[in-house]
Structure formats: structure tokens, C-alpha cells
Amino acid sequence: MPNNNHSNHTGAPEAVGYWSQVGSSPERLGFWMTLPTVLLLLFIVVFPAIMQVYLSITMWSPLDGTPWYLAYQNFDFPGQYWRALLDEELWNALGRTLLIMVVTIPIQFALGMGLATLFVDEFPGKKVFYSILLTPMMIVPAVTGLIFYLCFQSTGPINNHLGLPVSFSWLTDTDRAMITIMVADIWQWTPLMFLILLAGMLSVPNDQILAARLLGASEVQIFRRIVLPRMKSVIIIVLALRTVESFKIFDSISVMTKGGPGVQTETISYYIYRLTFGDFEWGYVAAIGLSILIGLTVLAVQLLKLGAKPDSNK
Amino acid sequence: MSSISLRNITKRFGDFTAVSDLNLEIADGEFLALLGPSGCGKTTTMNMVAGIESASSGDLLFDGKPPTAKRIQDRGIGFVFQNYAIFTHMTVRENLAFSLTVKQRPQSEIDKRVNAMAKRMSIDHRLDQLSGKLSVNEMQKVAIARSAIAEPKVFLLDEPLSNLDASFRAYMRAELKILQHEFKQTMVYVTHDQIEAMSLADRIAIMDRGKLMQVGAPLDVYNNPANVFVAQFVGSPAINLLEGKLVTEGGNSSLHLNGGETISLPPTLAKNFAKSSTDRVVLGIRAQEVKAGSQNSANEVLVHGMVEVIERIGPVRVAHVHTPAGVVKCMQGVDATHVGEALTVSLPESSCLAFDAASGNRLNYMGH
């Protein structure tokens, strides 16, 4: 490096040496150049995280009239977490979130995989269909909620089309409301599943498929033994992504049912929203949020570990 | 085992004709090399035999009958891809067993056949390794073994040796020949390497721009090429070609070579050249047949030039003699020649190949 020569020649003392060499040392220069961004990121990411941890160990609410940094006056460590553990409403909301997850993700996956299989081959109008198929993904979730809110009205097109009476309600029915939420979610997120799975499928080398076919494998066998194993990591990534994402389902619910009727469609996000802006229990919200963050992180790591495992263990 | 007949096969991709009116009979158990430069249609031809692509027109027959199997899975084709298409997510054992497991053969039979084949190809020490970790040479073996284990009726190899290093390539050439004798399968081998084709095949089919140029045994194609393309493509070093204008004056024929020199032609060669459609003709002769110095024979063609380069191919010297009509390579009697020396080379009439410059066709071709 040129800076070595430079320091040898000048023989500058240590103190001066550091700053005189900043310009020629990529490491030192890099440190100072990125410092503002690092500080900004720390402020954006780390500060709120610390604030959340801090609030979660207090009984603080903005209605108390004390500023948040004085929340320690209401210190109550395991209190909020203990409360969460015993909160039936929370567990119900969590249960409903999981229900949406276990129903919608497999359906999205099956549809996405099916569509991807169709789109691997060329057919007339493929590009047009492709664009149309991807549209739901681009629509703002709240708008998706609005679309389905209108569709599922008692006098809406769905009832009309199915020939159901006006008395047959979707959004206000205790069982059917959940179905409308799931339908909207499936409609919105199948395209993402499709897009990622198609990319994974297209990355399977064509000659491998051809070789398998020439070796006598049927199309089903080719899919099971060549395509699927080669898509394994993509599949795990997309499933992990949707699993984590489905915890965030909020917009469509907010527009379509507001968690109702009663709490029939109240998911974890919606419940947190209600606690935050209905009950202003911010310390408790922080504790719930933190617990879910930890839970989801553990879950995602486990899922991704599954994908990183080499296939050589057979 | 099966014979293959291609009758008037044509393949078009849009406006482009990849294979044009191809007629080729491949006998049962024969090793045929499809030889040609890239883009000549040889791979397309093989893909049609495999059923990967269908012919635009013409008939493809196996044992004289159209293929009965609708699906390419059931055609009984063994195919070795240029890049091997090894299932890298499986072990070597799973690769070898693939064709048997998909047909749900009993496990005991699968084990027996896989072990035997692995031993035959000396990859048995790699059986339980992930095949993605193999060397290129081993992948090549796995690719061949994987196809061979299915005992296909027809074995198709698409440039299988082109990715290998030179020494392993020579080894695999010999190995393939032995394998073919053992399996007694009909093999079609696509290659652009004429040495590979010459050393492996029972017969060579040479293609150029979608057309079949010549089919024949390696030595036959070498000694008796049907046209300029075949003469040029087969043989190393490349054949000497001298183009010129045929002039007949008072019963004596001579050749006005490009570059100005005139050479007189012995009677038989002159008679052959006289069959040309125009007066433009090409004289071809292999470097191996060209002698340094006049032999004082009536049946020779003499060309004068200067030694430009002495090329050494192993123990053999090849003198590149610069003449006004182009370079003539000479391999006989050049042990003492040196660069810069004026040299007259003698082309024995019996070894001279006469071509029609306009059509490229051989004028003294002894066809079958």
C-alpha cells in the first residue's frame, strides 16, 4: 500500500499520523465516511428498539400525563409480560392469526405452484396473463380490502353472482367474515408466491429435466425428483416470508371488518392497534410487540435453517 | 438395439432450415459419428432422433417402423449431454439408479445393476458422494453410466468429450469404443472434432449447413472425399487446395493457377478436370502425399515455391511451401529442407483430387 511508504518517509508522530493517513487508508476513510449513516441508522433502528424494551417493563400510558422517559416511575418488570401470558383476548387474536396463516399459506402455495408450472412453458398471450396475474400484488392492501369490502356486500356482486339472498351476509356474519378476510389475503398474496416459485422453477436447468425425461421419468416423477428438490431453498424462503408477513395482516381487516363482528376477525396486529389507539396501553403494547418479534425471529431462523441444510444427509 | 432410418428429413425453425432433406441409414449396432462445424445441423439431427424435436417433414424410422412410443420417455433413447446434465442434488448412486427407480424396478435388482455399472466405469468409490462434487471427468463417466444402465436401444452422445482435458479425452475415446463393443448398441456420436470421429466411428456422416455431404467409413471419407468441404474438413494437416483455370491447347491440358503460375497436367488428371462444369477447377492433395523435389515421372504435377515455415508435429516435419497460388504443405522428403530454401514439390497424379470449383463436387470421385 502506498500509505506504508508515505509514513516511512515522513516518520510523522503517532498523533498526527492518524489524521494524515485517513485519506490513504481505505479502512479509516471508510469509517469516517459512513459514520453519519451509521449514526442515523442507529437512531432509526436501535433507539426505538431500546425504547420499546424500556416501555415494556413499565406500566406507562400516554394518558398518565408523564413523558415517556419518566416511565420508569411506573416500573413493573414481569408485570406486562405476565399480563400478556394470561390475556385471553391476546391468545384468541393470536389463534385467529395462526388460523389465517395455516389456511391461506397452503392455498397460496398450491395456487402459486400450479400457476408457476403453467407459466414455465410458452403459450400465446403469456406475457399478458403474467402481467394480469401480478397486479394484485401491486395493489395497496387497503385498496384490496376496499375491493373485497364492496364485493362481499350483501347486495354486492358475489351474492348477486351466486344467487344468494340479500339476507345472506358475509362481512357481518361471525363465521363468514373470516372467510372474506382469507379470500382477500389469498387474492393479494398468491401472485408473490407465484412470482418467486416461478423464478425458482425457471432456475432448474432445462437439460436436467430433459435428461430425466430421456431416462424414462414421467412428468410427475420429474417434478418430484428433479424440480422440487432443486426448488427447496426457494420454497422455504417464500414460506418463511409469507409466515412472517401474515402476522402483519392489518389493512384489509381494518377496511373490511374492523376486526368484527365482535372480535371475530381480530388478528394480532389489529388487537395491538386497538390497544394502542383505543386503550392507550403503550407499555403493554411494547411488551406484546417485543414478544412477537422474538417469537417470529426464532420461527424464521428455524425455517431458514431447514433450507440451508445440505442434501447430503441421505 | 435398433437400426435408425432418416428419410428426407427436413427441420425448419421459422425461416431457417437447420436440416435439409437428410437421408441416412444407421445400421443396428453401428457407431456413427455426425461430424460438422457448429451450426451444421448435427445436433438438431440428433435431437430429432431422440424425439426432443420433431421433423418438419420426412420420416424417422426405428427398425424400419415409425416410433411407436408417443412419449420420449418410452423411446428407449440413451442421451449423453455435452454438459452431462448430472443431477447434482443427488448422490452418484441415485444418479445411476435414476432410470431404474422411475420404472420401479425391485431394489435388489437396482443395487446389483448400479454396483456392476459403477465398477465397470470405475466410479464405485464415489457412489455415495453428492454428484455435484465430482470432477468433470467423473461427471462424464456418471453421465455415460447413467444412460447405459437403462440399456437403451439407441445411444446418442452430444459432443461428450469436448469439455475434458486432453489426456482424459484420449482415455475416454478408447473407453467409449470398448463400451460400444460391450453394449453392442447403436451409437450416434455428434462431434465437430474430426480426429474424434475418425478414431471412434464405424462410419462418419459429414454435414454442412443442414445438408449431408458424405457418409462413409473414416478412411473412405479421408481418401475419397466427395467434395471440397469434406476434403477440407477431414484430415490433419488440412488438405492442400490449388485453384485455377483449366486450359486445353492442342491436346495438352494445363492449369493456370491463381497467382499466375501455369502447371501442366498428366493425362488422367486432365481428363477428370475436363468434366468440370466451368473451366474453374480445384486441385486437392494431402500433405502426406506431397513429395519434395521432382520425381522425374510423367505422372506428377510440379509446383515451385519457397519454404516458409517448417512445422513439427511430433516426430514429423511439415514444410509450408509458399507458392504464388497459396501455401502447399509437404511431408515427404523434407527432413533436410530448411526455411528460405527454394523447393519444387511433386504431386503424384494418383493422389490428386480434382474438384469443380463452382459446385465443389469431386470430379474423380469413385462413389459407392
Side-chain angles (χ1 to χ4, degrees):
Chain A
M1 295 298 288
N3 61 321
N4 286 342
N5 283 334
H6 177 73
S7 64
N8 285 344
H9 280 292
T10 54
E14 270 303 298
V16 189
Y18 182 85
W19 290 107
S20 66
Q21 279 175 33
V22 160
S24 52
S25 156
E27 258 170 55
R28 288 175 187 177
L29 188 67
F31 173 77
W32 289 106
M33 297 292 257
T34 54
L35 188 64
T37 314
V38 170
L39 287 178
L40 187 69
L41 275 177
L42 279 178
F43 187 74
I44 293 171
V45 178
V46 178
F47 174 71
I50 293 171
M51 184 177 170
Q52 191 183 9
V53 174
Y54 171 59
L55 286 183
S56 77
I57 53 171
T58 69
M59 289 273 281
W60 184 76
S61 159
L63 301 180
D64 293 349
T66 48
W68 68 271
Y69 49 83
L70 295 177
Y72 66 88
Q73 290 167 347
N74 299 324
F75 177 82
D76 180 12
F77 167 53
Q80 300 286 30
Y81 292 91
W82 193 241
R83 180 178 162 196
L85 214 56
L86 299 175
D87 184 351
E88 209 174 308
E89 273 188 280
L90 173 69
W91 287 104
N92 285 340
L94 199 62
R96 282 187 289 271
T97 310
L98 290 173
L99 179 70
I100 291 173
M101 204 162 93
V102 297
V103 173
T104 59
I105 291 177
I107 293 176
Q108 285 163 0
F109 179 74
L111 287 175
M113 197 63 130
L115 286 169
T117 313
L118 289 178
F119 273 75
V120 164
D121 295 319
E122 288 298 322
F123 58 85
K126 178 172 165 175
K127 279 186 180 155
V128 178
F129 283 113
Y130 185 74
S131 309
I132 293 174
L133 259 175
L134 294 188
T135 327
M137 200 176 83
M138 325 276 194
I139 293 176
V140 178
V143 176
T144 305
L146 188 65
I147 293 170
F148 281 91
Y149 176 74
L150 295 173
C151 285
F152 278 111
Q153 291 298 315
S154 306
T155 51
I158 288 176
N159 268 9
N160 217 333
H161 186 73
L162 296 176
L164 295 167
V166 175
S167 59
F168 190 92
S169 60
W170 290 95
L171 297 162
T172 52
D173 184 274
T174 47
D175 299 321
R176 291 194 282 266
M178 190 54 121
I179 296 174
T180 65
I181 300 293
M182 287 173 176
V183 168
D185 192 70
I186 291 166
W187 183 83
Q188 175 134 51
W189 294 116
T190 298
L192 179 76
M193 210 58 120
F194 158 69
L195 189 70
I196 297 175
L197 290 175
L198 179 64
M201 216 175 264
L202 287 175
S203 73
V204 178
N206 208 22
D207 53 2
Q208 298 238 332
I209 293 170
L210 206 51
R213 198 172 287 148
L214 284 159
L215 286 168
S218 67
E219 297 306 314
V220 176
Q221 281 169 329
I222 291 171
F223 185 75
R224 261 189 35 232
R225 302 205 42 194
I226 310 288
V227 178
L228 221 46
R230 290 196 159 262
M231 286 178 68
K232 193 177 151 199
S233 16
V234 170
I235 289 173
I236 286 166
I237 287 168
V238 79
L239 287 181
L241 189 72
R242 284 302 305 142
T243 303
V244 173
E245 284 269 295
S246 66
F247 263 85
K248 300 187 198 161
I249 181 168
F250 176 81
D251 316 44
S252 53
I253 293 173
S254 174
V255 174
M256 287 166 73
T257 63
K258 300 232 176 297
V263 289
Q264 284 306 312
T265 56
E266 191 173 84
T267 57
I268 195 76
S269 304
Y270 203 84
Y271 179 60
I272 291 175
Y273 165 76
R274 189 157 66 85
L275 285 179
T276 313
F277 295 107
D279 305 343
F280 289 94
E281 304 242 27
W282 290 15
Y284 185 37
V285 166
I288 296 175
L290 208 58
S291 309
I292 288 173
L293 177 71
I294 291 165
L296 273 184
T297 307
V298 171
L299 188 72
V301 166
Q302 289 304 318
L303 276 172
L304 292 176
K305 235 190 223 167
L306 216 65
K309 212 180 271 177
D311 312 82
S312 54
N313 52 355
K314 282 182 191 168
Chain B
M1 276 158 279
S2 172
S3 71
I4 309 164
S5 314
L6 296 115
R7 307 244 165 101
N8 307 102
I9 294 275
T10 297
K11 175 73 185 176
R12 284 182 214 93
F13 295 103
D15 291 337
F16 176 68
T17 305
V19 176
S20 153
D21 198 28
L22 180 76
N23 282 289
L24 187 59
E25 297 287 329
I26 305 164
D28 188 1
E30 186 179 24
F31 195 141
L32 181 109
L34 273 175
L35 177 66
S38 51
C40 73
K42 55 192 193 299
T43 299
T44 309
T45 304
M46 195 165 70
N47 285 348
M48 286 191 281
V49 173
I52 297 168
E53 277 167 48
S54 55
S56 307
S57 66
D59 295 309
L60 172 69
L61 308 175
F62 290 94
D63 287 328
K65 296 182 290 273
T68 43
K70 275 264 172 289
R71 306 187 317 154
I72 86 173
Q73 279 94 331
D74 307 322
R75 275 205 185 178
I77 303 279
F79 200 111
V80 176
F81 289 80
Q82 184 171 4
N83 57 357
Y84 318 134
I86 296 293
F87 306 138
T88 45
H89 60 288
M90 298 183 190
T91 62
V92 172
R93 184 186 295 282
E94 286 166 326
N95 265 282
L96 294 190
F98 191 84
S99 64
L100 304 175
T101 47
V102 294
K103 287 184 198 110
Q104 280 151 5
R105 313 295 306 185
Q107 192 58 47
S108 58
E109 184 198 329
I110 294 177
D111 288 341
K112 214 175 97 196
R113 282 168 71 174
V114 166
N115 288 334
M117 181 56 74
K119 205 160 176 180
R120 169 67 194 80
M121 299 294 290
S122 44
I123 41 174
D124 40 349
H125 58 296
R126 293 269 189 249
L127 267 180
D128 293 307
Q129 282 187 14
L130 208 57
S131 54
K133 293 185 178 127
L134 297 180
S135 71
V136 177
N137 296 353
E138 285 167 329
M139 281 201 184
Q140 167 69 80
K141 287 181 173 183
V142 172
I144 290 173
R146 185 180 67 179
S147 291
I149 208 165
E151 293 174 357
K153 286 190 272 185
V154 174
F155 220 116
L156 307 177
L157 302 108
D158 185 3
E159 310 236 3
L161 306 185
S162 55
N163 293 349
L164 305 178
D165 51 64
S167 62
F168 190 72
R169 193 189 290 209
Y171 164 78
M172 270 322 280
R173 269 209 300 261
E175 192 70 355
L176 268 176
K177 193 76 196 159
I178 297 166
L179 276 176
Q180 199 250 345
H181 276 291
E182 266 177 41
F183 300 150
K184 295 191 173 54
Q185 273 146 340
T186 312
M187 277 200 186
V188 180
Y189 186 102
V190 163
T191 181
H192 64 262
D193 181 345
Q194 50 106 8
I195 296 173
E196 233 167 74
M198 293 284 276
S199 60
L200 278 172
D202 297 329
R203 284 196 307 154
I204 301 177
I206 297 154
M207 293 181 73
D208 183 37
R209 281 176 265 168
K211 291 203 175 67
L212 185 62
M213 292 282 125
Q214 189 175 1
V215 196
L219 276 181
D220 188 35
V221 169
Y222 178 80
N223 291 324
N224 193 18
N227 51 46
V228 171
F229 178 81
V230 174
Q232 248 181 326
F233 201 78
V234 173
S236 171
I239 195 164
N240 296 308
L241 294 173
L242 299 169
E243 193 180 336
K245 187 178 164 193
L246 185 68
V247 179
T248 311
E249 278 171 341
N252 281 336
S253 291
S254 55
L255 199 56
H256 284 291
L257 293 179
N258 293 354
E261 198 177 357
T262 300
I263 53 174
S264 59
L265 297 171
T268 318
L269 197 57
K271 220 164 70 191
N272 285 323
F273 275 133
K275 289 185 255 174
S276 175
S277 57
T278 66
D279 60 356
R280 304 295 305 173
V281 293
V282 177
L283 190 157
I285 187 159
R286 303 243 173 241
Q288 287 86 345
E289 310 291 341
V290 179
K291 298 182 175 108
S294 170
Q295 309 295 305
N296 295 319
S297 144
N299 299 325
E300 66 178 344
V301 177
L302 295 176
V303 183
H304 309 285
M306 200 224 353
V307 179
E308 199 177 39
V309 180
I310 302 275
E311 186 188 357
R312 207 181 283 278
I313 305 174
V316 187
R317 283 157 66 96
V318 183
H320 294 225
V321 182
H322 182 80
T323 75
V327 171
V328 176
K329 290 177 192 167
C330 169
M331 286 171 73
Q332 283 194 33
V334 289
D335 291 344
T337 47
H338 47 85
V339 175
E341 179 185 349
L343 189 69
T344 299
V345 290
S346 158
L347 323 177
E349 184 189 17
S350 57
S351 307
C352 285
L353 307 175
F355 298 101
D356 182 335
S359 65
N361 287 337
R362 176 89 176 280
L363 296 166
N364 53 349
Y365 178 58
M366 288 154 280
H368 301 283

